Amino acid sequence: MRTYKTSEQLFEQSKNVIPGGVNSPVRAFLAVKRTPVFIHHAKGSHIYDVDGNDYIDYVGSWGPGILGHAHEEVIEEVQKAVYDGLTFGAPTKKEYQLAEMIHEAIPSMELMRMVSSGTEAVMSAIRVARGYTKRDMIVKFKGCYHGHSDGLLVKAGSAALTSAVPDSAGVPRSYTENTLIALYNDKDSVREIFEQYGEKIACIIVEPVAANMGVVLPQDGFLEFLREITNQYGSLLIFDEVITGFRLSYGGAQQYYKVTPDLTTLGKIVGGGMPMAVYGGKREIMEVVSPLGGVYQAGTLSGNPVATTAGIKTLELLKSNLGIYDEIEEKTRCLAEAMKEAGRRKGEPVQVNQVGSLLCCYFTEQQVNDYQGATSSDLDRYTSYFGHMLDHGIYIAPSQFEAMFVSLAHTKEEIQKTCDIILQQ
Ligand code: KE4
């Protein structure tokens, strides 16, 4: 019988010095009504908590772990790098090397800047879009998450769907009045906004696969439509590929769906698990960034030599073995089938959305193609699903509105074991 005593003790102690005992809210397991397990170490497809419990991990630190945890070759390169110094605050060859690799993988990123988090990448990309177009308004989609910068912590205003109001305390109303909210996969909601505000809109920012309301795939033609309407109104299209970058394919979602944005943000995989994110795009647009242009952006640890080392090695390993994308998609499909079969056996409604190595199951009658569908899922049922998986040694997202991530390190045997546990519900 598993015990979680040490995690419970650490959680109580942590709450004395860290809000909610965690450094990011989802980690508190509030949505699934459990005590968070404190992790001691991780290797490959497994994480191990402080009580010695072993889990097959499908969170993978929310995306970076596509190769599995503590990949030997990445660790080896990072170990060498740390002896050369942890940070210089000065340019290094590695930043150039990583930027070249990213440009080769994602040709639309002709010029790019490294920062330390996805939030910072998105915040900066939006500032570039505003600086380049000299327009203030931005469009995001309900249910998409792009980090915690003030102008993006919004929800639909009471007045109308399109007007935004802060979705967090501490964000002045004035910080959100230039943020417009459309509905993912709903072209009309986008058309209405552009017909009313088009000439004032600097950009659309979108997750090409929405992976922060569970996993919601772009319906046929939706991404192409966003490309067309931004071209039509002289607005920029920003793909937030913090999750999909190097995840859906080595060229990200823009390669997978063959739609090219003006700007792209990357995170997670690009840093190999270290604090690293990137924003970039067309040269002409990115040339507004200081010191070339008037859009200011800076960072002490930007392009950090240890983080770039982890990123370079991770991309080298992916690039040298592009077959892994088919391999991990096949493993993910096995899990998807097990979830559907479990629903059939229990006679309960289950919807499973899967693309590449991203997966999510919802407990609802209706297909999940948008925010409304995602939020129709039975959250109590998700909570019992989460508890069943955790207590059987399978670590999945402690929230319905996240993704399940499969890695190269997940073996066929582990996938089969996971399927068996899914079917035991
Ligand atoms: P960070 O600032 O957390 O590095 O990245 C923000 C971000 C930006 N864009 C997308 C599409 C993202 O998914 C994220 C962050 N992802 C969440 C998980 N859904 C991070 C986990 C957390 O918040 O603890």
Side-chain angles (χ1 to χ4, degrees):
M1 184 62 185
R2 286 171 172 256
T3 173
Y4 304 105
K5 280 207 173 312
T6 311
S7 282
E8 288 160 2
Q9 287 161 0
L10 278 173
F11 190 42
E12 289 314 307
Q13 291 163 333
S14 297
K15 284 193 274 192
N16 292 329
V17 282
I18 301 171
V22 293
N23 280 304
S24 201
V26 70
R27 303 178 190 175
F29 279 25
L30 293 178
V32 291
K33 303 179 177 63
R34 292 288 294 258
T35 299
V37 292
F38 279 58
I39 304 307
H40 179 270
H41 69 283
K43 182 66 181 169
S45 56
H46 288 253
I47 54 173
Y48 304 85
D49 71 18
V50 292
D51 288 289
N53 297 312
D54 174 356
Y55 305 88
I56 300 175
D57 176 23
Y58 290 100
V59 174
S61 184
W62 305 103
I66 192 167
L67 295 174
H69 291 289
H71 188 288
E72 296 80 9
E73 294 181 64
V74 176
I75 297 297
E76 187 182 340
E77 290 302 311
V78 167
Q79 279 177 323
K80 279 190 269 182
V82 297
Y83 285 106
D84 291 338
L86 299 178
T87 179
F88 314 124
T92 65
K93 180 180 174 186
K94 287 179 180 172
E95 291 157 86
Y96 159 69
Q97 284 176 309
L98 180 56
E100 281 285 350
M101 292 183 77
I102 294 167
H103 175 49
E104 185 194 31
I106 305 175
S108 68
M109 296 181 78
E110 296 171 339
L111 213 53
M112 66 192 82
R113 259 282 164 84
M114 294 162 194
V115 293
S116 299
S117 73
T119 294
E120 200 181 349
V122 169
M123 180 176 70
S124 307
I126 286 173
R127 189 181 303 139
V128 164
R130 285 171 161 155
Y132 177 78
T133 61
K134 296 183 177 41
R135 300 177 180 181
D136 293 341
M137 305 195 97
I138 65 171
V139 178
K140 78 171 289 289
F141 292 90
K142 194 171 183 181
C144 285
Y145 177 69
H146 305 286
H148 63 89
S149 58
D150 286 337
L152 289 167
L153 291 178
V154 295
K155 61 187 176 190
S158 54
L161 183 69
T162 56
S163 67
V165 295
D167 196 15
S168 165
V171 176
R173 179 66 188 267
S174 61
Y175 280 43
T176 63
E177 64 193 16
N178 282 312
T179 304
L180 301 166
I181 299 178
L183 295 177
Y184 195 81
N185 278 328
D186 180 339
K187 295 177 185 175
D188 288 343
S189 74
V190 180
R191 274 194 202 93
E192 281 167 33
I193 285 175
F194 272 83
E195 281 162 9
Q196 191 169 353
Y197 302 101
E199 309 303 333
K200 297 178 182 171
I201 294 174
C203 65
I204 287 178
I205 181 157
V206 66
E207 291 180 67
V209 171
N212 283 286
M213 44 175 146
V215 176
V216 178
L217 279 59
Q219 297 300 290
D220 297 344
F222 182 63
L223 297 178
E224 292 81 351
F225 165 74
L226 297 183
R227 179 65 284 176
E228 286 155 20
I229 199 164
T230 44
N231 284 341
Q232 183 185 342
Y233 283 88
S235 306
L236 301 186
L237 178 58
I238 302 178
F239 271 11
D240 180 349
E241 295 222 42
V242 166
I243 285 185
T244 56
F246 299 103
R247 167 66 62 177
L248 281 199
S249 77
Y250 190 65
Q254 57 196 270
Q255 176 185 320
Y256 192 89
Y257 290 106
K258 297 182 178 42
V259 175
T260 303
D262 299 298
L263 293 170
T264 300
T265 56
L266 300 170
K268 301 180 192 277
I269 293 173
V270 77
M274 301 294 287
M276 153 74 69
V278 185
Y279 71 97
K282 285 180 185 159
R283 181 175 303 280
E284 178 199 351
I285 297 171
M286 285 297 291
E287 284 176 341
V288 302
V289 179
S290 172
L292 291 182
V295 175
Y296 192 73
Q297 179 269 312
T300 304
L301 298 177
S302 295
N304 174 271
V306 180
T308 48
T309 299
I312 288 167
K313 193 60 194 174
T314 298
L315 296 197
E316 283 175 350
L317 289 166
L318 290 170
K319 185 185 173 189
S320 66
N321 179 13
L322 294 177
I324 79 149
Y325 288 101
D326 290 338
E327 183 184 329
I328 54 181
E329 176 154 35
E330 187 47 43
K331 292 174 184 174
T332 311
R333 284 207 190 98
C334 293
L335 296 171
E337 285 313 308
M339 290 169 181
K340 292 172 191 170
E341 175 59 21
R344 285 191 287 269
R345 291 187 187 181
K346 286 173 67 79
E348 71 173 346
V350 170
Q351 306 297 328
V352 182
N353 287 352
Q354 174 264 327
V355 59
S357 52
L358 292 173
L359 176 70
C360 181
C361 81
Y362 302 88
F363 299 96
T364 179
E365 295 280 358
Q366 58 184 297
Q367 278 198 2
V368 181
N369 296 320
D370 54 25
Y371 179 79
Q372 189 278 324
T375 52
S376 74
S377 182
D378 178 343
L379 299 186
D380 291 336
R381 179 64 185 89
Y382 186 87
T383 294
S384 66
Y385 163 59
F386 175 86
H388 168 79
M389 301 294 274
L390 189 76
D391 293 336
H392 286 81
I394 309 296
Y395 191 81
I396 62 172
S399 161
Q400 169 68 79
F401 305 114
E402 298 289 355
M404 199 167 171
F405 297 88
V406 180
S407 83
L408 180 63
H410 287 94
T411 64
K412 287 193 171 57
E413 294 71 25
E414 289 166 342
I415 295 292
Q416 186 53 55
K417 175 180 179 183
T418 307
C419 291
D420 294 343
I421 290 165
I422 289 168
L423 291 167
Q424 284 167 16
Q425 289 184 74

